[in-house]
Amino acid sequence: MNIAMYQMNIIPGKPEENRKKVTTWVKKTVASYNPDAVMLPEMWTTAYTLSSLPLLADDESSDHTLAFLQELAVTYNLTVFGGSHAVKTKDGIVNRASIIANDGAVLSLYDKIHLVPMLAEPDYLISGKEMPYAAEYGELKAVVGICYDLRFPELFRPLAAEGANVLIIPAEWPDARANHWRSLLQARAIENQIYVVACNRIGSYNGTTFAGRSMVVDPNGNIITEGSTEQEETIIADIDIAQTDFIRKNIPVFTSRDTTKYRF
């Protein structure tokens, strides 16, 4: 599978302008690289304009951004790892990620469970109620976690044990903790013997500079490709899903696990 990620500089509080940016990027990327899949970062329609989300977030009953992503998938025959965007539900606003097949079918929706206290997310958003689940599509068994979720390995371990082979991480990860970003991505890849595909934003907003460094890590923990720290760009990577099975057979951590002796 050939994946193109958009390491995007998000226009704060301007969903329609960001959708136009993404449309232009997808057109150019398809023409230049003809990828099988595209991926966007976290909160790419609004950035972290949290206090304005009651006005800016999509309504769950008529999610304009989800419909936009479905249209992109069908128009360009792409699997779309839709990053995440704010969605108003009956209980509150969630930070919701999506995976969409090339026929427009929604394969996965996941609401971010771990909200970032350092960014006051819990003051404006509600936590997701359910674990992510694997979106199965051909040989793909993809799971989404969003940014801060990366710090909680217990979220992904059972899914990898059940056969998930790709972990998708859209993010707005700060440059101040860029060393954590790389180390945690590699750790999640190694411990779960899984591909990790991570799309981070670039630029600055509200006093925070973001790390960029979007990357793909293979199931051995090797960084296949990595974006820059300073510019908006397209990151391209080929992933061979068969490598996941190969590594799991050669280092059989999942059959070596003894869950009867662990504390959860």
Side-chain angles (χ1 to χ4, degrees):
M1 171 178 279
N2 183 263
I3 298 176
M5 293 188 289
Y6 189 13
Q7 183 167 285
M8 179 182 179
N9 191 355
I10 302 165
I11 305 168
K14 301 290 183 181
E16 191 55 39
E17 290 185 36
N18 287 311
R19 283 190 283 267
K20 288 178 182 177
K21 279 190 69 169
V22 167
T23 299
T24 299
W25 173 76
V26 169
K27 286 180 181 178
K28 290 181 179 178
T29 300
V30 169
S32 298
Y33 302 105
N34 191 30
D36 302 304
V38 294
M39 183 176 172
L40 302 172
E42 180 185 18
M43 295 287 276
W44 63 268
T45 58
T46 59
Y48 265 89
T49 53
L50 293 173
S51 63
S52 299
L53 290 183
L55 297 175
L56 297 174
D58 288 274
D59 287 306
E60 187 172 42
S61 60
S62 56
D63 190 332
H64 182 60
T65 297
L66 185 64
F68 166 81
L69 295 170
Q70 290 176 286
E71 184 177 353
L72 285 180
V74 172
T75 300
Y76 296 100
N77 190 32
L78 294 165
T79 300
V80 175
F81 301 116
S84 76
H85 65 284
V87 178
K88 285 184 278 190
T89 73
K90 61 182 178 60
D91 298 316
I93 300 174
V94 296
N95 182 349
R96 179 169 290 175
S98 60
I99 301 175
I100 300 164
N102 63 353
D103 62 358
V106 178
L107 302 177
S108 173
L109 294 175
Y110 163 68
D111 297 340
K112 187 178 184 180
I113 290 175
H114 301 102
L115 302 179
V116 186
M118 300 84 78
L119 293 177
E121 273 189 311
D123 294 343
Y124 300 95
L125 302 172
I126 61 169
S127 173
K129 297 177 180 179
E130 297 181 0
M131 280 186 64
Y133 56 89
E136 299 194 29
Y137 183 58
E139 63 179 356
L140 189 74
K141 294 181 181 178
V143 172
V144 177
I146 302 173
C147 200
Y148 192 48
D149 285 332
L150 185 60
R151 292 185 178 276
F152 300 88
E154 59 271 31
L155 184 63
F156 308 114
R157 189 64 162 177
L159 296 161
E162 292 166 4
N165 51 28
V166 178
L167 174 57
I168 302 296
I169 302 286
E172 290 202 30
W173 197 279
D175 189 62
R177 290 180 284 279
N179 62 324
H180 294 191
W181 170 249
R182 179 184 282 114
S183 297
L184 289 168
L185 291 171
Q186 289 181 288
R188 297 297 83 82
I190 293 166
E191 72 198 5
N192 293 304
Q193 299 175 321
I194 198 169
Y195 276 98
V196 178
V197 182
C199 185
N200 196 26
R201 71 161 293 184
I202 202 72
S204 300
Y205 174 68
N206 199 25
T208 298
T209 298
F210 297 95
R213 297 178 174 87
S214 301
M215 69 181 73
V216 177
V217 186
D218 76 14
N220 262 325
N222 301 308
I223 297 173
I224 297 172
T225 188
E226 183 175 7
S228 72
T229 63
E230 297 177 355
Q231 64 184 15
E232 190 171 78
E233 63 184 305
T234 301
I235 293 93
I236 303 290
D238 281 305
I239 66 173
D240 178 7
I241 298 297
Q243 283 295 309
T244 303
D245 290 336
F246 176 80
I247 290 165
R248 287 174 177 177
K249 287 176 182 176
N250 281 273
I251 310 174
V253 295
F254 291 105
T255 56
S256 297
R257 293 168 80 222
D258 187 351
T259 56
T260 65
K261 298 174 183 174
Y262 305 154
R263 183 181 301 146
F264 293 96

